[in-house]
Structure formats: structure tokens, C-alpha cells
Amino acid sequence: MTEAFCILIHYHEIALKGKNRSWFERRLIKNIKRQLSGLPFSKVQLNAARIFCFGIDESMWNDYAQRLRKVMGIKHAILMTQVKDDIDTMKSVAAAQLKGLEFSSFRVSARRQYKDFHLSSQEINIMVGQHLQSTYLKPVKLKNADMDVVIELVKGMAYIGHERIYGFGGLPVKTSEQAISMISSGIDSPVSSFEMLKRGVELTYVHFHSAPATSRQSIQNVEEILTVLAGFQIQCRVYMVPLLEIQQKIMADTPNKLWVILFRRAMIKIASMIAEQLAIPALISGESVGQVASQTLSNIRATADAADRPILRPLAGLNKEDIIRIAEKIGTYEISIEPYDDCCSFFVPIHPETKADLEIVRKTEANIDFGKMFTTALKHAEIKTFEHPDYVRKSIDRLEKVSD
Ligand code: ATP
Ligand code: MG
């Protein structure tokens, strides 16, 4: 019996695409190959609306799984044994796979890509199921079984496996153009960034800091968050922009009620300047309507007015607990709850404006003589590139080898 291992990947929303589906598929394959770089595989191939990774080392399944979880567009990925589409072989391979594993119930989920196989999916389920039942004396449970043995018949071959990971679905990064994400070390903006990555948007980040008035800690927290988010696009860039001088100017020249709104407008203007330089059409923010007093619709209008392009707010309608759940799932929550002093919270007055009047905000801002402060802030921005530790570790290994 000849058998080989591979990973079978099902995509998500791409399946709903029409004429341009193959363009999305090609991007997804490219992203998978990049994500798996450094792990053994011979080819990543499209076959009957599925993606197969061949020539893998099955003992490293956990490494593949961890990487594939970060590729947007994937519905799920299963470690498979590839055999000829012969029912007796399927039975024995399925039984061999479960040997030594703990489970109290199981099911078989067969699917046929070609309908001319002599058995229906249901017949395969029953035949393989009976074999497993008599081998392991465990009951079949169709709902919530401990063990789901997946069998897929694709172009004359059978693929059998039970180790599966779920992806986040959505669309492959780089299929939906680019955006600038305004990121703090809070809970929300990492989640809003993630939500847009999931829609296939490639992100460049901008973070505003008030060093040296605030500690380096908030910058470090942002860097840690970016290391996590970089995993979804392998690499990302961030502009770390000093805002302190602009904030001091605003605080000197305007009533404290409007500070936060004017800080935000300054951030949006600088983010728009970066977007213009990079020809990026949209900005992203982590605002959620009503979450804090500053995020009222009137305030959102008063800040958004400073932008020359759309600001997407993927969290606008989410509840805080939903946002926290996503932050936990993607691994940014623990970093976001570390103490830090944010550039805005640090200077927040006791009674900030909760229902800003746009005309008053515009007039107040027009009276501030910012001079060249915006271009100067941008000139002093530090641009850093982040890579996910899986890849960084590789380059450190390389460095160590060189210095040996
Ligand atoms: P977060 O948890 O993302 O910090 P928040 O609930 O603290 O959000 P605000 O402080 O009102 O909300 O900020 C609203 C949005 O403005 C943030 O989600 C983020 O997109 C952007 N923002 C806030 N502070 C910064 C900063 N220092 N640098 C870049 N963007 C920021
Ligand atoms: Mg914040």
C-alpha cells in the first residue's frame, strides 16, 4: 500500500467568487507558500477548488497548523493521508490513524468530488464507520463526536485524516488593496486591524506617541502587538510618529474640553499625509460607538472631518465583550491589558467634550498656528518593519550560523 501525507485546505468566501475566483485562489496559494517558508513542502497546488500541500513532514503538523491558522481566507486545513480510492484501503488507513488515540465517540464525514465512484458518501460513512466501530468498540455520534474522520475523494484519490485546524475565513491578504491602521496599545485597534486583515486588506500601521512625556512602555506594547499582527501578513511596517509638540501646542492654545478631539484630528491629518505619500486609499480606526464618552457620533463626525479619505471603523457596532473575545483569540489581549500611558489618556481633561460642535472645532483649530509642525512630526517618524517571530527566529538562526 503506497501512502503519502499532505495537507488539504478548504477556502472560505473565495468559493462565492465568480469570474475572478482564480485570481483569489492564486493569491491564497502565494500567501500559503510564504507562510510555510522554512517548513518542508514540495508543492502547493489547486485541485478541484481545494488546495493541497504535498511533500510535507507529517511529524511537524503542529508547526504547519500554527502557520496556516494565520492565513486569511482559509476555512480549515486537515492533515491527510493520500491513498488510492479503494474502500478497503480507506478502512484500514482510517483504523491505523486512530490507533493509540483517546476518544469516546466518533463519526466519519465522507465527501466525493466526483460522483462516479461506486459508493455514495453515505455508504462510505457506513462502511468505514462499521470497521472503526468493530475495531475500537466506540459508538458513532453524529453531533459533537470526539473524533471526526474526514474522507475526501478527489480525482481518483482518497484523502483521510482527523487532525484539523480552523482558519479565520475571509479573504487572502492583498486581495483588497491597502489601508493605514491607526494603532494604539489598547484593546480595540489591534482588533480593528485584524478585522480588516481578514477582509484581505494589507495594512501599514501608524502609532502616535508622546515620548518623552509618556514612558517607552506604550511604544513597547505597540511593538509587541505588531509582532503578533505581522503574522497575518508575515511582515508589516509601522510609522511611530512623535505627537508631543503638537499636543503641547493644542493644550496651550485651546480650551481643555476640545483637546482630545483636536489630538485626534491631528492624528488623522498625519495618517492621511502618510496615506497620500503611499497612495493608500483608506484609514482604519478602532472606535466603537458609545464605548467611551469620546466616541459619540458627534465626536466621530468632528474628528472624521479632518480626514481626506474614508476612515473604516470595523468595531463600530460591536460590544466590548465581543471585542475582548476576538483580542483573546488572536493573542493581543494579554499585551493590551499591560499598563501603559497612552498619548491621549495621559492629557485627558476631567470634562472632555462628549458632543462636539463641528463648526466650533473647525474655528478653534483654524486659530492654532501649527506652522510646519505636521510635516516636522512626519519627518521625525521612525519607520520600523516587524516580522512574526517564526521568521525572525529563522533570521537569528542564520546570524548565529554566520558568527559561529
Ligand atoms: P484603543 O483600544 O484602540 O486604544 P480606545 O477605546 O482607547 O481604542 P480611543 O482612545 O478613543 O479609543 O481611540 C480611538 C481610536 O483612535 C483607536 O482605536 C485608534 O484607532 C486611534 N488611536 C488612539 N490612540 C492612538 C495612538 N496613540 N496612535 C494611533 N492611533 C490611535
Ligand atoms: Mg486607547
Side-chain angles (χ1 to χ4, degrees), residues 119-391:
L119 299 169
S120 70
S121 300
Q122 188 51 17
E123 285 166 335
I124 299 172
N125 287 342
I126 292 169
M127 292 171 81
V128 177
Q130 279 172 347
H131 181 66
L132 294 177
Q133 212 168 11
S134 62
T135 311
Y136 293 106
L137 307 173
K138 297 281 161 68
V140 171
K141 208 172 147 196
L142 293 183
K143 261 196 187 151
N144 302 324
D146 266 8
M147 181 69 72
D148 187 7
V149 177
V150 179
I151 301 181
E152 292 220 14
L153 267 58
V154 184
K155 295 193 178 164
M157 301 301 282
Y159 298 86
I160 303 157
H162 61 277
E163 302 222 53
R164 170 180 4 204
I165 57 110
Y166 289 89
F168 291 108
L171 296 171
V173 170
K174 289 195 184 184
T175 58
S176 301
E177 300 182 54
Q178 296 188 50
I180 302 268
S181 182
M182 295 187 283
I183 193 144
S184 72
S185 52
I187 295 169
D188 304 312
S189 43
V191 175
S192 59
S193 307
F194 165 80
E195 291 295 318
M196 294 326 299
L197 287 163
K198 203 175 72 191
R199 299 309 303 154
V201 181
E202 187 184 10
L203 300 184
T204 296
Y205 297 88
V206 58
H207 174 67
F208 298 91
H209 64 82
S210 312
T214 52
S215 70
R216 298 290 297 177
Q217 188 58 47
S218 73
I219 295 186
Q220 272 168 21
N221 290 358
V222 170
E223 292 186 347
E224 247 185 86
I225 285 167
L226 287 171
T227 311
V228 174
L229 292 174
F232 297 106
Q233 51 186 44
I234 295 183
Q235 202 184 57
C236 66
R237 262 187 321 162
V238 61
Y239 286 65
M240 297 283 190
V241 183
L243 200 67
L244 185 59
E245 269 188 34
I246 292 174
Q247 288 179 296
Q248 283 167 336
K249 182 78 183 156
I250 291 170
M251 285 153 61
D253 292 4
T254 67
N256 64 22
K257 232 173 143 54
L258 293 183
W259 287 355
V260 174
I261 286 170
L262 293 169
F263 295 166
R264 288 264 183 276
R265 286 177 65 95
M267 289 186 193
I268 290 170
K269 280 187 185 171
I270 294 171
S272 303
M273 287 160 70
I274 299 171
E276 182 63 26
Q277 279 180 7
L278 303 176
I280 290 179
L283 309 180
I284 296 167
S285 113
E287 287 154 308
S288 165
V289 174
Q291 192 195 91
V292 285
S294 61
Q295 292 174 12
T296 62
L297 292 180
S298 294
N299 283 11
I300 288 177
R301 180 178 181 221
T303 51
D305 169 71
D308 62 357
R309 59 203 70 214
I311 305 178
L312 308 179
R313 296 179 182 79
L315 310 186
L318 293 196
N319 298 340
K320 190 75 188 184
E321 63 203 50
D322 299 328
I323 299 171
I324 289 177
R325 206 170 308 127
I326 301 170
E328 284 171 338
K329 206 163 59 176
I330 63 176
T332 55
Y333 182 71
E334 289 301 317
I335 313 166
S336 292
I337 56 173
E338 289 281 313
Y340 67 93
D341 30 45
D342 183 67
C343 74
C344 285
S345 46
F346 192 67
F347 301 115
V348 169
I350 301 160
H351 298 296
E353 184 58 84
T354 54
K355 201 160 178 246
D357 180 312
L358 180 57
E359 283 319 310
I360 295 174
V361 170
R362 278 182 180 165
K363 264 192 211 141
T364 312
E365 190 185 65
N367 285 331
I368 310 172
D369 180 15
F370 282 116
K372 290 199 164 66
M373 288 175 123
F374 286 77
T375 40
T376 307
L378 192 49
K379 221 184 276 167
H380 290 140
E382 247 184 290
I383 305 172
K384 291 189 174 178
T385 301
F386 285 85
E387 287 199 347
H388 191 268
D390 283 350
Y391 317 102

Side-chain angles (χ1 to χ4, degrees), residues 56-69:
I56 59 153
D57 176 350
E58 82 282 4
S59 69
M60 296 171 77
W61 163 245
N62 287 340
D63 296 297
Y64 294 101
Q66 205 183 358
R67 302 271 192 102
L68 290 172
R69 215 177 262 126

